[in-house]
Amino acid sequence: MGDVADKVAYFQSITGLDDSDLCTEILSAHNWDLELAISNFTSNTTSSSSRSTNPEEVETTGLVVGGGVPLPRGLAWRIVTLPFSIISGSLGLISGAVGFGMWAAGGVLSYGLGMIGLNSGRNGESSTRLVSVSAAVSEAMDFVACFERDFGSTRPNFVAEGFMDALQRSRNEYKLLFVYLHSPDHPDTPVFCERTLCNEVLVAFINENFVSWGGSIRASEGFKMSNSLKASRFPFCAAVMAATNQRIALLQQAEGPKSPEELLTVLQRVIEESAPVLVTARVEAEERRNNIRLREEQDAAYRAALEADQARERQRIEEQERLEREAAEAERKRKEEEEAQERAAHEAAESEAALAKMRQEKLLSLGPEPEKGPDVTQVLVRFPTGERKERRFHCTTTLQSLYDYVDSQGCLEVDNYKLVSNFPRTVYGSEKLSLSLKDAGLHPQASLFIEST
């Protein structure tokens, strides 16, 4: 749907038709082909427009803008219909039957561009291409970049957006729109830009009181604006403001070279004369915002009062439910803790009993301690606590019996350990458990310590 609305708006901007329903019917009849529709429309209207003395409306007095506040009659106000038509007999626009054309304005414009452009295809054929909707922004950005490159950064703050967006911005900021149409080939342009348009005092005044938009008449939108504003001399400046019914009010224009003082005087007079309109618009907008905010506050207060009792009741119920849940949770935790303590005590007792039984079984498996003799090995074991245990074993006893002896003493708090001798250091790990004390080199006596793993 957005694409259809964009096409209708674009067709309006090119043809100058205000009736969106008529534009929709024309586009629909051409199967929504913008190029074909515009080509047929321009070819059908060229002859009639050449006979017209003035296709645009101009009023010099009694202009009513915005909310119905009359503008000062002493100002040369002109109403320019928007969207702007690209058809302008004064600048000699020539439209072909196939919908593409070229223009020339006083020998200044030397190549075809704009909404209808002349491009060569791969096979040497001519093809007509429409400038995309985003082209206005691209042109504005190019203009700002080129202007700053040629004349420096001390300049009006030209917005990098299309004319209609700039006009809307000025409406939103309650300012006038300062328009500068740039003619690169005009002999007065460089001096005007360097000495007048980039004058610090003038720049400060424009940036403070206006939203600024500029465009080159070599570009599509700049050329279209030069037609709409009927620019006959360059350099060209104008002060405009948004009006009703898709129109703009042309407040003042300054054509030809001007000194900074002259242009500043013109702009100051425009600001003074348009101040009542801008102030009225700002006040009315502020009143609308205040009324909306007041209604929203009243609605919010009413909803808050309406929900207050329900909120208090919900809070009371939730608090009661919370207390009940907390009491139930506390009781459950108490029972779980009691059960856990009972299980832990029972498991500890079972573990201790199993450990004592294991120690007793291992102690019994060792048999009685043998008397001293040539086949008896004296073994000393030092525990990590510093305690020493000493016992005699037959030299044929395996190392497993030494581990059983250590386990039966109940002096260790670890389950994984190894028996190690110091000189030389030898580890008697699990791979040596089947060796006899004699084969392990521990006969006739050995001194071992325990190393945790």
Side-chain angles (χ1 to χ4, degrees):
M1 186 64 186
D3 184 53
V4 171
D6 289 342
K7 288 185 177 181
V8 172
Y10 205 65
F11 186 80
Q12 285 184 284
S13 69
I14 294 176
T15 61
L17 294 176
D18 289 335
D19 190 343
S20 60
D21 293 336
L22 177 58
C23 293
T24 302
E25 292 177 2
I26 295 174
L27 286 169
S28 177
H30 291 82
N31 199 25
W32 295 97
D33 188 329
L34 271 172
E35 295 187 32
L36 180 60
I38 293 172
S39 174
N40 290 340
F41 181 87
T42 55
S43 62
N44 291 334
T45 57
T46 300
S47 57
S48 61
S49 64
S50 64
R51 293 191 299 269
S52 175
T53 58
N54 188 1
E56 298 175 337
E57 297 182 18
V58 177
E59 277 188 33
T60 58
T61 59
L63 175 65
V64 178
V65 180
V69 180
L71 294 179
R73 294 177 177 271
L75 205 62
W77 302 77
R78 293 191 291 171
I79 302 301
V80 184
T81 303
L82 288 180
F84 307 102
S85 172
I86 63 169
I87 302 172
S88 176
S90 62
L91 292 181
L93 177 65
I94 304 174
S95 299
V98 294
F100 61 86
M102 301 176 64
W103 63 80
V108 175
L109 300 179
S110 60
Y111 62 95
L113 47 80
M115 304 308 297
I116 300 178
L118 185 61
N119 299 319
S120 295
R122 293 184 178 180
N123 299 325
E125 297 178 354
S126 296
S127 60
T128 302
R129 295 185 181 273
L130 292 178
V131 179
S132 64
V133 175
S134 62
V137 176
S138 178
E139 290 176 3
M141 294 175 64
D142 291 342
F143 168 77
V144 173
C146 293
F147 190 94
E148 186 166 308
R149 181 196 63 204
D150 294 339
F151 305 107
S153 58
T154 303
R155 57 171 175 78
N157 293 332
F158 296 113
V159 293
E161 55 193 23
F163 177 82
M164 291 305 297
D165 291 333
L167 189 66
Q168 184 60 42
R169 180 188 292 271
S170 68
R171 178 199 291 268
N172 296 339
E173 296 181 10
Y174 305 103
K175 292 183 177 182
L176 303 182
L177 180 64
F178 174 79
V179 178
Y180 169 63
L181 298 179
H182 186 70
S183 176
D185 298 321
H186 197 281
D188 294 330
T189 294
V191 174
F192 176 77
C193 291
E194 292 173 357
R195 299 181 182 179
T196 299
L197 205 56
C198 294
N199 178 269
E200 291 186 1
V201 176
L202 180 64
V203 167
F205 180 80
I206 292 176
N207 292 340
E208 175 69 21
N209 297 281
F210 292 85
V211 171
S212 299
W213 181 87
S216 171
I217 61 174
R218 286 182 177 178
S220 173
E221 194 161 31
F223 177 75
K224 188 168 59 176
M225 288 305 304
S226 69
N227 292 339
S228 299
L229 297 177
K230 299 192 181 304
S232 58
R233 294 180 60 200
F234 292 94
F236 181 90
C237 299
V240 303
M241 70 182 299
T244 57
N245 299 326
Q246 293 184 331
R247 295 169 180 256
I248 66 169
L250 175 60
L251 309 182
Q252 184 66 53
Q253 64 187 41
E255 296 180 294
K258 294 284 189 297
S259 68
E261 294 75 15
E262 291 174 333
L263 186 56
L264 182 60
T265 300
V266 171
L267 296 179
Q268 285 175 334
R269 185 173 66 252
V270 172
I271 289 294
E272 291 172 0
E273 293 177 346
S274 60
V277 176
L278 298 177
V279 170
T280 300
R282 185 181 293 107
V283 170
E284 290 177 351
E286 184 64 26
E287 289 179 353
R288 287 193 297 271
R289 286 194 295 269
N290 290 337
N291 291 335
I292 293 174
R293 184 167 58 251
L294 179 60
R295 285 195 298 270
E296 290 176 348
E297 291 174 354
Q298 291 173 342
D299 292 342
Y302 174 76
R303 289 192 299 270
L306 186 64
E307 295 174 359
D309 291 340
Q310 297 177 349
R312 284 193 292 269
E313 180 64 17
R314 285 196 302 270
Q315 185 177 5
R316 185 189 66 79
I317 294 174
E318 290 173 357
E319 181 66 17
Q320 181 178 352
E321 293 177 348
R322 184 185 64 81
L323 293 175
E324 292 175 354
R325 287 195 303 270
E326 289 179 352
E329 182 67 15
E331 180 64 18
R332 183 186 64 79
K333 288 184 177 180
R334 185 186 64 79
K335 291 182 178 180
E336 288 180 352
E337 290 176 356
E338 290 179 354
E339 293 175 355
Q341 291 174 356
E342 292 177 358
R343 285 195 303 271
H346 181 68
E347 291 173 357
E350 288 183 345
S351 177
E352 183 63 27
L355 185 59
K357 182 180 179 181
M358 180 271 294
R359 291 171 182 168
Q360 184 63 27
E361 290 176 350
K362 288 190 176 185
L363 184 61
L364 292 175
S365 68
L366 296 175
E369 185 176 1
E371 296 293 333
K372 293 181 180 181
D375 295 330
V376 174
T377 303
Q378 186 75 26
V379 178
L380 173 67
V381 180
R382 292 193 301 272
F383 288 85
T385 59
E387 186 177 359
R388 297 184 176 197
K389 296 289 183 177
E390 196 171 357
R391 193 183 190 279
R392 294 182 297 275
F393 296 87
H394 287 287
C395 64
T396 57
T397 301
T398 63
L399 285 172
Q400 179 64 57
S401 296
L402 286 183
Y403 277 90
D404 291 342
Y405 170 71
V406 172
D407 292 339
S408 68
Q409 299 305 303
C411 298
L412 290 177
E413 296 180 356
V414 295
D415 295 329
N416 298 321
Y417 63 93
K418 292 180 180 179
L419 294 174
V420 182
S421 63
N422 271 332
F423 305 105
R425 175 179 170 81
T426 305
V427 178
Y428 301 96
S430 58
E431 72 280 359
K432 298 180 180 181
L433 293 179
S434 61
L435 295 177
S436 65
L437 298 181
K438 186 175 182 179
D439 293 339
L442 298 176
H443 182 72
Q445 64 180 10
S447 178
L448 305 173
F449 65 90
I450 295 172
E451 185 179 85
S452 300
T453 60

